Amino acid sequence: IRPCHGVVVSMCQVNIELHRVSNLVTEEWGQILINSANSDLCGAQFPYFPRGGFSEDNPQPKTKEQWQASSQWCGMEAGKDMLYPVQCIDGAVHMYAGKELRAYLQEKHPSGCEVSEAVASPSFGSIPYSYGIVHAVAPTASMNQWRKKLKDTYINALNRAVVI
């Protein structure tokens, strides 16, 4: 692994490097990519979504008209505090991995993945990580006990990475 602005942690004879880089998806920084996924494991399939995710107070739109109204920009721009799929790691992972990743995840995990849990997949498309991808579902800040759930997400993602 090339040197980067990372932190190296030794855990169970496994070296873990944490990196914050702009080209994480298309350039190999290690052997496993840990992806912050959604519970449906479908990538960022929606045209845009709120920063921080959907919540009970801000539910996911279901129809085209609801999507356009949700942006307050009539579909021309995502709008304030809204993100396009390519602006998040999960969207980029699914974009570069192609349809094979979504098909694999739907076949292996048809009911998705619970918050704080993690599942693994091989790399597809132009994703260069030799041991694959760990898809971890983090909580949103509006969830009860979100701090504990976030801690559990990190632990479960790292545990899944160790057993790949």
Side-chain angles (χ1 to χ4, degrees):
I1 296 181
R2 292 174 294 217
C4 185
H5 308 300
V7 177
V8 179
V9 180
S10 183
M11 179 175 140
C12 303
Q13 299 178 1
V14 173
N15 288 329
I16 299 170
E17 290 195 19
L18 306 175
H19 299 276
R20 183 175 179 179
V21 295
S22 61
N23 56 351
L24 182 65
V25 175
T26 58
E27 191 172 323
E28 186 172 6
W29 291 93
Q31 296 173 321
I32 299 170
L33 172 64
I34 297 180
N35 173 34
S36 180
N38 60 49
S39 59
D40 292 329
L41 300 174
C42 63
Q45 71 174 357
F46 308 114
Y48 39 80
F49 50 92
R51 190 178 304 274
F54 296 109
S55 66
E56 289 180 19
D57 296 334
N58 186 15
Q60 172 184 321
K62 303 289 185 209
T63 67
K64 177 180 162 186
E65 291 77 21
Q66 289 172 335
W67 274 107
Q68 288 178 339
S70 70
S71 74
Q72 301 171 358
W73 285 88
C74 302
M76 295 171 20
E77 181 179 312
K80 183 181 180 220
D81 294 326
M82 300 293 276
L83 299 170
Y84 288 108
V86 297
Q87 292 177 291
C88 68
I89 296 296
D90 195 31
V93 164
H94 279 264
M95 181 175 74
Y96 287 107
K99 295 176 184 176
E100 295 85 6
L101 176 60
R102 184 177 292 178
Y104 177 89
L105 290 170
Q106 287 177 348
E107 178 185 328
K108 299 291 184 183
H109 308 283
S111 58
C113 183
E114 295 294 319
V115 170
S116 300
E117 296 298 320
V119 300
S121 76
S123 292
F124 292 97
S126 60
I127 305 285
Y129 292 85
S130 56
Y131 283 90
I133 306 167
V134 171
H135 307 270
V137 181
T140 60
S142 63
M143 290 182 172
N144 290 332
Q145 299 181 333
W146 70 269
R147 284 184 169 90
K148 181 192 179 313
K149 290 177 182 178
L150 183 59
K151 177 184 165 190
D152 291 344
T153 303
Y154 283 114
I155 290 168
N156 290 330
L158 293 173
N159 284 336
R160 177 67 60 192
V162 168
V163 298
I164 289 182

